[in-house]
Amino acid sequence: MKRRDFLKFIGIGGVGAGAGFVLGKVSKPPGAKLIPYLIPPEDIVPGVATWYASVCTLCGAGCGTLVRVMEGRAKKVEGNPGHPVNRGGLCALGQSSVQALYNPDRITKPLKRKGPRGSGEYAEITWDEALKTLAGNLTELKSKNESEKLHLLASPLGGTIDRLAGEFVSAFGSSNYSHYGLFQRKNLAFANLSAMGTASVPHYDIENTKYLLSFGADFASTWVSPVNYSNGYGKMRQGAGERGKLVQVEPRLSLTGASADEWVPAKPGTEALLALAIANTIVEKGLARDASAWRGVLSRYKAKDAASVCDVSVERIEAMAVEFARTRPSLAIAGDSVSSYENGVSGAIAVNILNQVAGNIGIIGGVMPNGDDLGNGKKIDFGRKISTLISAANAGKIKTLIVYGANPVFTTPKAARLEEALSKVPFIASFSSFMDETTAHADIILPAHTSLEDWGDDFPDPGVAAPVASLIQPVVGPVFDTKSLGDIFIELAKAVGGNVAGKINAPNFAEYLKASWKGLYSRNREMAAGTLGFEDFWNKALQRGGWWGPSRKRTATVSARAGEHLAGTPARFEGEEAQYPFYLIPYAQTAYMDGRGANLPWLQELPDPMTSVVWGTWVEINPKTAASLGLKEGDMVNIESPFGKISAPVYLYPGIRPDTVAVPIGQGHSHYGRYAKGRGANPIEILPFKEDPLSGEAALNSTRVRITRGATGERMVKMEGSTKELGRGIVQTVSPSEFKRMKKEVV
Amino acid sequence: MPGFLERIAGKLKSYREPGYYTKLDHKWTMVIDLDKCNGCEACVVACYAENNLPVVGKEQCEKSRAFSWLRIERYVEGEYPDVKVKFIPVMCQHCMKAPCETGCPVYATYHNQDGLNVQVYNRCVGTFTCATYCTYDVRRFNWFTYKWPKPLEAQLNPDVSVREMGVMEKCTFCIQRIRSAKDTAKDEARPVKDGDIKPACSQSCPTGAIYFGDMQDPESVVAKLAKSPRRYRLLEELNADPSVIYLKRVMGDGTSSHE
Amino acid sequence: MKKLILYAVVGGIAFVIGYFVNDQFFSDRAPVQPINFSHKIHAGDNQIPCQYCHIYAERSRVSGVPNVKRCMGCHQIIKTDSPEIQKVASYWDKKEPIPWVKVYNLPDHVYFPHKRHVRAGVDCKNCHGDVASMARIEKVSSLQMGWCLSCHTKREVKNGRDCWTCHK
């Protein structure tokens, strides 16, 4: 080796070693800190998880939850195995509530509007200023003797917070407190009120039924109380007894329909007539158990007339009628394909009659009416519709509007002209924790806690034919500078003063809630059993997630008076068939529900169970229809109704009638955070503004549309490869008869 | 041959002996009743929440880089109006003769004494071999280091590593829950009982379609269910001996397409 | 060309050596703490048992740094005139936790439960050394996998060599 080379090697070696040393030095993690507690919280052991019982509030079902908390952070929300509503399960939406809690797009502080309304430009203010501003506005209203011009619009709240909000509004001197949600199930409640005397959804005992006839009830995804019904469904299929059967009547095969044994794709709008024809066939064939009151009314609905209207053969109607009446117990449930029309009440009543005729009411495995067991007197005010709010705003009858939880700007059609009406309201306050489309119109925002940070309670509606009272407790400290919803009302009452402060004189909502439960405890003897007084009861309820009593059997009869609400004709769809050839079915999808799930990243990336599409909207079209229109999958189309136009990519879906197209609800947000904003399209925009005149529930299936090519927009991304098994035997099946022969397995 | 080489050779040979893998402490098994499953995907979100799975966004989803360790496959047969739809949850099948284990050049994936097919993140160098060998397409690769915007990262489960770029991952049967159940059992000086362990998917399932337990315990629910005449395993003819047992869906026409 | 490869190889080897030297011999094994706390006085001279302060060691995966309230429990009375104790008191008065510097730091992908080791009768000394004689705490174990495994092997821990016993 030459001397020169040797030196070169030494040089390179030196530089290399030096570089290695330096890299080692800089890449070394900085001395990690070990931060002790100042005072150790009693219920926290670092490194060991604590579980708190609470209630999921992302939909109205009221599933009990257990929240896993480690070092003061919520890690996971699971179903509470002891809770009678969900018995341990929890749906995709409910489990994502931690992402609502830790959402990066939450409103972190009280805000005051800076830019023009709807622009979303706000300046941060303090809570003192926010409360003072709103209280000042209210006092001014009061001093001008315009108390009645305060409106409070909230999501369908229940329990004590609902009472507090109601007390606040009435003490202030206004009677305008209304609830609004896209899926309030008011049609079902009204049908039950007129038929059975209680304005609540009964308990559908799916677990024990042997023949479930579902009129578009998509309980596998979002319908009413999905986890409760799904739990029942599992037991109905593979429980202790014989395997139950599921028949689904709907124009678009829903997630639940996908699990059905039979799919009856009746023509949209005629399903209620089908229900009545089935009931009439049962009566005519002498299979009815209790039809005395209904013989006359039903005789108008002959199976052969219905067959042509509904696009279901006479034989099939008769076969369904016989099987429905003979199988014991059977159960019909009124889902979206009877209750989402302009005459939804009529459809729900038709299903009630069907249950009555087959003798399914008040029996195990049938319809089990719920009563007001705990005397918390929940009631639905059918007169308070979103249309009354709009006309009041237009007439200048609303000076101050407070919104909480409801997002009507997103969930009402453009035809309702809600935004125009809101512009006539001089002052809008929102208590929302998220910048949704309605909150974006607010002049001032007082962000409330999410339910994982707040106190509360819940009396599940629909109940489970047993008294249930669940408690919501804060499982973590507030993540941002938000306040408990109850505390906002209480502090506002104090700031307004006068008789409002006099009426609501609790120090904070936690105390108010406890006092309310003390009343509940003293009214209900059953609660005292096995407890050493109220404090003991309260602690046990906090531990268990609430209190629930034994099942109560009630019965009811669908009275003949309900017949006066029967429409007797198919529901109407706007738009001429020649111009607008397709029925539009906007439906609630597993993840987004009415749009509230769209800001949660897990749910955006959750493939839709039927189409596997992620992060966007799509329109489902029958492959034959698409072929006739010259469309292939992924093509961008305009969906045009007489009321507007949206665009979405085509998904070829064999499970839909050729004369129908379907679009999921939930995307198309103009606000609502980074995950939701500017993604997909909102089918509600192009609907006519129709409400059931009796109940006030919005009619979602109410317009025809035409499909035209050539729109531009977002690509469709789906996670599936093929929808075919290609002979690989991936999902193997056995026939029901084969199954009967097999030995019943032990569980 | 020197002594230490002989020892190593002997050890390697013992791994190849039939029955080596049957001497297990437990044989964790999942039974999924397809007649109960209604495809609601609660299990998918439960898995995301429990196992710190990142959300990758639309563009990455389009490249099939979504992280779902557990997916619901949906198959559609027939044409309108005779459409039949079938669901099946598919996750790592924890094969007893796993093809992926034979491929890894660094032994980052292997079979452990609980009958689990496990993946060691800090050993993985990201050759993608296991994912290529996998019969069930259940392995997921970290193409990037994914970060949650603040404060979403507060949700991350401290019992599960947050993986970084270049690492392969897959369903673990919620091994952290198995570990914690064993830990509790040890504290109480008893063996692990049937029902002590519920993976996140099984815990969340609204219909109760997913069962989990030890196949070596003849009294366990899974051992009993595994005797069901409806039992089958996914692509059984490939002889990977999966630990997930499916119970056939009871369905209309009853054409068992694979008999 | 051949020479270039040779240079690269030599450079590479030197680089690794440099990195390793830094890692092994230039780590701060006994970092300066915000308070000059002496285990020698507490655990040595005064014979306070470890778990009197590290209260979670038997119940949790972490042993727990003593909370400030626990320090003040004694030091409201004892040696209140010492300047170091006054530092502790000032943290307490400011309602601030003491930012101790971590000496035994395990990477994120390791699951190490103190609880299992304490309950198995492993003496704290086994890993943390003779703390009772240290004026300032000093890292005495490498905390490398081989070090863990040597003990697991020696003690014949059940499944003690399985990856997923300690990794997560």
Side-chain angles (χ1 to χ4, degrees):
Chain A
M1 189 185 275
K2 283 188 207 147
R3 181 172 175 267
R4 209 181 165 78
D5 282 344
F6 178 75
L7 285 177
K8 266 186 191 162
F9 278 124
I10 294 289
I12 287 168
V15 170
F21 188 90
V22 171
L23 184 80
K25 196 90 190 161
V26 294
S27 70
K28 202 175 280 175
K33 288 282 190 282
L34 210 51
I35 307 295
Y37 281 112
L38 196 65
I39 302 167
E42 262 172 51
D43 50 351
I44 289 180
V45 176
V48 176
T50 322
W51 295 80
Y52 292 98
S54 189
V55 180
C56 175
T57 57
L58 280 190
C59 84
C63 294
T65 57
L66 293 177
V67 187
R68 181 173 188 243
V69 180
M70 279 181 93
E71 282 114 58
R73 286 165 167 195
K75 296 293 173 190
K76 192 160 185 296
V77 180
E78 295 191 348
N80 181 350
H83 200 277
V85 170
N86 56 323
R87 302 179 208 172
L90 198 63
C91 74
L93 187 63
Q95 295 192 65
S96 304
S97 48
V98 274
Q99 288 205 322
L101 169 71
Y102 292 124
N103 202 289
D105 300 315
R106 269 183 72 180
I107 296 170
T108 56
K109 264 178 160 308
L111 300 176
K112 195 173 188 173
R113 183 165 60 85
K114 232 170 34 180
R117 267 208 185 155
S119 67
E121 285 169 40
Y122 286 91
E124 290 187 350
I125 53 173
T126 62
W127 269 102
D128 268 353
E129 191 187 341
L131 283 165
K132 241 179 231 158
T133 313
L134 182 54
N137 175 281
L138 292 178
T139 343
E140 198 189 321
L141 218 58
K142 214 171 167 65
S143 66
K144 284 189 190 156
N145 252 344
E146 291 182 321
S147 295
E148 189 62 23
K149 292 189 174 173
L150 165 71
H151 278 238
L152 173 60
L153 178 71
S155 54
L157 295 171
T160 305
I161 186 67
D162 187 44
R163 215 186 75 202
L164 174 64
E167 267 177 13
F168 177 83
V169 176
S170 66
F172 185 74
S174 170
S175 59
N176 297 309
Y177 174 32
S178 44
H179 295 116
Y180 172 76
L182 185 62
F183 303 112
Q184 242 178 306
R185 318 292 174 192
K186 278 169 139 185
N187 284 341
L188 273 183
F190 192 93
N192 291 320
L193 177 66
S194 66
M196 294 183 261
T198 45
S200 69
V201 181
H203 175 54
Y204 298 119
D205 191 6
I206 293 174
E207 177 178 343
N208 295 306
T209 197
K210 295 297 161 220
Y211 187 96
L212 179 60
L213 179 57
S214 154
F215 288 87
D218 189 7
F219 58 78
S221 64
T222 54
W223 188 70
V224 184
S225 189
V227 182
N228 181 269
Y229 300 151
S230 291
N231 188 281
Y233 171 82
K235 289 179 178 148
M236 172 186 99
R237 291 302 206 180
Q238 295 294 333
E242 208 179 309
R243 182 176 184 270
K245 181 174 178 176
L246 168 63
V247 177
Q248 190 86 359
V249 181
E250 55 192 3
R252 170 205 170 254
L253 194 67
S254 65
L255 181 60
T256 311
S259 297
D261 299 281
E262 281 178 36
W263 174 38
V264 185
K267 201 169 184 176
T270 66
E271 293 92 336
L273 299 180
L274 180 66
L276 293 168
I278 294 171
N280 183 38
T281 312
I282 292 172
V283 174
E284 279 181 355
K285 288 196 184 286
L287 297 168
R289 275 174 192 76
D290 183 9
S292 44
W294 293 103
R295 205 172 291 273
V297 178
L298 285 177
S299 63
R300 276 185 277 147
Y301 302 96
K302 299 272 185 243
K304 66 173 194 313
D305 302 335
S308 58
V309 180
C310 304
D311 196 13
V312 180
S313 72
V314 178
E315 295 74 41
R316 194 161 196 187
I317 296 177
E318 286 181 343
M320 281 163 79
V322 171
E323 203 174 353
F324 188 73
R326 289 229 172 107
T327 314
R328 290 288 86 201
S330 63
L331 169 64
I333 49 179
D336 291 345
S337 64
V338 287
S339 65
S340 277
Y341 299 111
E342 54 174 18
N343 54 8
V345 168
S346 156
I349 288 176
V351 174
N352 277 343
I353 295 169
L354 179 57
N355 276 321
Q356 170 74 28
V357 165
N360 293 339
I361 295 176
I363 64 165
I364 300 278
V367 178
M368 298 167 85
N370 278 308
D372 185 13
D373 289 315
L374 297 172
N376 56 314
K378 196 171 174 178
K379 56 183 188 298
I380 302 176
D381 191 346
F382 295 104
R384 301 209 166 273
K385 308 167 192 170
I386 205 75
S387 58
T388 43
L389 185 95
I390 291 169
S391 48
N394 282 328
K397 285 183 190 158
I398 304 180
K399 279 270 169 81
T400 299
L401 176 68
I402 301 177
V403 190
Y404 171 74
N407 187 7
V409 174
F410 183 75
T411 57
T412 49
K414 285 265 182 283
R417 309 174 81 123
L418 175 67
E419 283 177 87
E420 196 185 308
L422 286 182
S423 70
K424 290 177 189 148
V425 178
F427 192 77
I428 302 176
S430 171
F431 293 168
S432 174
S433 196
F434 295 95
M435 187 60 79
D436 56 40
E437 286 73 10
T438 310
T439 301
H441 283 78
D443 300 296
I444 192 164
I445 303 170
L446 290 75
H449 289 338
T450 65
S451 65
L452 289 174
E453 302 159 297
D454 208 347
W455 284 97
D457 57 0
D458 183 70
F459 301 89
D461 180 28
V464 287
V468 179
S470 339
L471 266 175
I472 301 170
Q473 57 180 319
V475 300
V476 291
V479 180
F480 296 113
D481 189 13
T482 55
K483 251 192 209 305
S484 156
L485 178 61
D487 286 347
I488 297 178
F489 279 116
I490 289 170
E491 285 175 31
L492 207 52
K494 277 186 194 133
V496 171
N499 60 333
V500 188
K503 185 84 198 278
I504 300 163
N505 51 5
N508 56 41
F509 184 60
E511 292 299 319
Y512 187 91
L513 179 75
K514 201 167 171 185
S516 156
W517 272 60
K518 209 165 191 169
L520 195 68
Y521 176 79
S522 62
R523 283 199 306 276
N524 294 283
R525 288 257 170 93
E526 275 175 298
M527 287 182 168
T531 64
L532 316 160
F534 175 70
E535 283 299 325
D536 184 44
F537 165 77
W538 174 254
N539 288 334
K540 279 182 178 151
L542 278 176
Q543 237 170 48
R544 286 211 312 174
W547 177 90
W548 33 88
S551 187
R552 287 187 197 162
K553 209 166 163 244
R554 283 195 182 78
T555 194
T557 320
V558 180
S559 73
R561 271 181 303 139
E564 70 196 46
H565 297 309
L566 277 184
T569 50
R572 275 182 315 118
F573 281 75
E574 297 295 320
E576 289 299 315
E577 192 171 347
Q579 274 193 17
Y580 300 97
F582 303 108
Y583 296 105
L584 173 68
I585 309 286
Y587 67 94
Q589 192 259 4
T590 309
Y592 316 133
M593 238 250 315
D594 59 355
R596 69 185 62 176
N599 65 342
L600 309 176
W602 285 337
L603 296 181
Q604 281 285 0
E605 196 149 308
L606 186 71
D608 173 68
M610 296 307 290
T611 63
S612 84
V613 178
V614 292
W615 296 95
T617 308
W618 62 93
V619 51
E620 290 166 17
I621 300 180
N622 189 299
K624 280 188 190 141
T625 312
S628 72
L629 292 169
L631 294 170
K632 26 176 234 307
E633 190 150 285
D635 282 353
M636 201 46 126
V637 291
N638 288 320
I639 305 143
E640 208 172 328
S641 83
F643 305 90
K645 186 167 86 172
I646 55 169
S647 26
V650 171
Y651 182 85
L652 299 183
Y653 187 53
I656 190 164
R657 285 175 61 92
D659 59 358
T660 306
V661 297
V663 183
I665 297 168
Q667 300 277 24
H669 283 276
S670 59
H671 289 85
Y672 210 38
R674 70 191 74 176
Y675 297 106
K677 192 174 171 178
R679 193 178 293 287
N682 181 7
I684 301 173
E685 278 180 15
I686 60 167
L687 299 180
F689 185 45
K690 274 194 190 175
E691 288 172 327
D692 188 292
L694 298 166
S695 71
E697 176 102 341
L700 289 175
N701 305 341
S702 52
T703 188
R704 294 171 154 279
V705 290
R706 65 169 163 245
I707 302 286
T708 51
R709 206 181 226 302
T712 51
E714 298 164 42
R715 294 180 322 283
M716 178 166 77
V717 174
K718 48 177 199 155
M719 300 311 297
E720 73 189 4
S722 170
T723 62
K724 303 291 172 209
E725 287 185 73
L726 307 170
R728 289 172 294 173
I730 289 169
V731 190
Q732 299 186 13
T733 58
V734 292
S735 72
S737 52
E738 206 180 324
F739 175 66
K740 260 184 205 160
R741 267 184 273 121
M742 286 175 170
K743 239 178 81 205
K744 201 82 177 133
E745 61 259 59
V746 214
V747 176
Chain B
M1 205 165 13
F4 77 97
L5 275 183
E6 258 169 37
R7 271 209 313 279
I8 291 173
K11 197 135 198 186
L12 283 176
K13 212 171 149 197
S14 77
Y15 294 146
R16 302 285 175 209
E17 276 166 20
Y20 176 80
Y21 282 144
T22 53
K23 289 174 274 176
L24 301 169
D25 295 354
H26 303 275
K27 186 177 182 304
W28 300 120
T29 301
M30 195 173 270
V31 177
I32 302 176
D33 192 337
L34 297 180
D35 203 30
K36 282 185 165 186
C37 174
N38 61 10
C40 72
E41 295 196 325
C43 49
V44 180
V45 175
C47 185
Y48 267 80
E50 174 76 16
N51 292 307
N52 298 342
L53 301 190
V55 160
V56 298
K58 191 171 181 175
E59 275 65 40
Q60 296 290 312
C61 278
E62 198 168 17
K63 294 174 180 154
S64 300
R65 290 174 181 177
F67 262 89
S68 50
W69 285 1
L70 160 59
R71 63 178 184 268
I72 305 281
E73 288 187 2
R74 188 252 313 109
Y75 293 98
V76 184
E77 280 170 19
E79 277 176 29
Y80 177 86
D82 298 311
V83 182
K84 290 264 178 270
V85 183
K86 303 190 282 190
F87 296 107
I88 182 169
V90 181
M91 70 292 283
C92 173
Q93 306 281 310
H94 290 270
C95 310
M96 298 306 280
K97 298 171 189 158
C100 55
E101 290 169 16
T102 65
C104 183
V106 293
Y107 303 102
T109 180
Y110 70 99
H111 227 78
N112 82 349
Q113 70 291 333
D114 278 10
L116 297 174
N117 171 276
V118 290
Q119 173 80 15
V120 189
Y121 304 129
N122 44 321
R123 206 183 253 178
C124 177
V125 295
T127 64
F128 222 95
T129 319
C130 52
T132 322
Y133 285 12
C134 178
T135 320
Y136 302 100
D137 186 20
V138 291
R139 290 180 160 264
R140 302 284 178 265
F141 189 66
N142 286 271
W143 292 96
F144 301 99
T145 297
Y146 301 93
K147 287 242 158 47
W148 287 106
K150 271 186 186 303
L152 268 174
E153 92 293 341
Q155 181 275 331
L156 291 172
N157 184 355
D159 294 349
V160 179
S161 300
V162 177
R163 284 80 59 189
E164 288 180 353
M165 179 167 70
V167 171
M168 189 62 77
E169 58 183 71
K170 63 165 193 76
C171 160
T172 61
F173 269 181
C174 283
I175 196 165
Q176 67 280 8
R177 292 191 177 210
I178 297 175
R179 174 152 60 199
S180 115
K182 282 186 184 168
D183 199 49
T184 314
K186 208 166 189 177
D187 287 349
E188 293 165 11
R190 57 168 175 87
V192 179
K193 284 199 307 281
D194 191 35
D196 274 1
I197 303 165
K198 271 197 160 192
C201 51
S202 162
Q203 200 287 328
S204 69
C205 181
T207 62
I210 306 178
Y211 305 85
F212 187 81
D214 185 358
M215 197 56 123
Q216 285 185 349
D217 170 9
E219 291 307 305
S220 69
V221 174
V222 288
K224 285 176 184 160
L225 282 171
K227 293 187 192 117
S228 162
R230 289 195 290 134
R231 135 199 195 115
Y232 79 100
R233 289 185 293 178
L234 199 54
L235 304 177
E236 196 157 6
E237 67 277 18
L238 297 175
N239 202 24
D241 196 6
S243 296
V244 179
I245 294 167
Y246 292 94
L247 302 182
K248 291 180 190 174
R249 166 108 177 252
V250 180
M251 206 172 186
D253 59 358
T255 41
S256 226
S257 58
H258 207 66
E259 245 55 64
Chain C
M1 188 60 211
K2 211 171 148 194
K3 220 174 225 173
L4 260 177
I5 294 171
L6 210 62
Y7 287 152
V9 169
V10 170
I13 292 170
F15 182 86
V16 173
I17 292 171
Y19 189 93
F20 189 75
V21 163
N22 172 66
D23 199 51
Q24 283 300 302
F25 303 107
F26 288 82
S27 301
D28 197 359
R29 291 178 161 271
V32 180
Q33 301 287 357
I35 287 162
N36 194 6
F37 174 85
S38 164
H39 273 87
K40 186 169 181 287
I41 296 172
H42 290 81
D45 303 349
N46 291 313
Q47 304 261 317
I48 301 171
C50 305
Q51 289 193 41
Y52 182 79
C53 297
H54 301 285
I55 51 175
Y56 304 119
E58 213 190 3
R59 292 186 276 160
S60 169
R61 68 187 76 170
V62 297
S63 62
V65 221
N67 51 71
V68 188
K69 192 182 167 199
R70 185 148 296 242
C71 303
M72 291 309 289
C74 296
H75 286 295
Q76 236 148 17
I77 312 161
I78 301 169
K79 280 200 88 172
T80 46
D81 50 348
S82 145
E84 291 299 316
I85 300 302
Q86 279 161 6
K87 269 197 227 168
V88 178
S90 79
Y91 278 110
W92 176 249
D93 293 338
K94 282 185 287 182
K95 296 288 165 223
E96 265 175 28
I98 306 164
W100 298 106
V101 180
K102 215 166 175 180
V103 178
Y104 289 86
N105 203 2
L106 282 169
D108 252 359
H109 54 260
V110 177
Y111 169 78
F112 174 82
H114 270 94
K115 170 173 136 179
R116 278 273 74 82
H117 292 82
V118 173
R119 290 195 187 188
V122 180
D123 198 0
C124 306
K125 273 183 193 161
N126 269 26
C127 309
H128 294 288
D130 188 17
V131 167
S133 67
M134 294 179 195
R136 190 201 292 167
I137 207 79
E138 187 190 337
K139 188 174 155 193
V140 297
S141 327
S142 73
L143 299 191
Q144 297 206 330
M145 198 168 98
W147 173 80
C148 297
L149 284 179
S150 68
C151 189
H152 276 195
T153 313
K154 204 166 67 201
R155 290 176 152 257
E156 291 176 349
V157 178
K158 188 164 186 272
N159 299 327
R161 292 166 66 95
D162 182 52
C163 306
W164 275 84
T165 300
C166 311
H167 286 292
K168 60 178 187 183

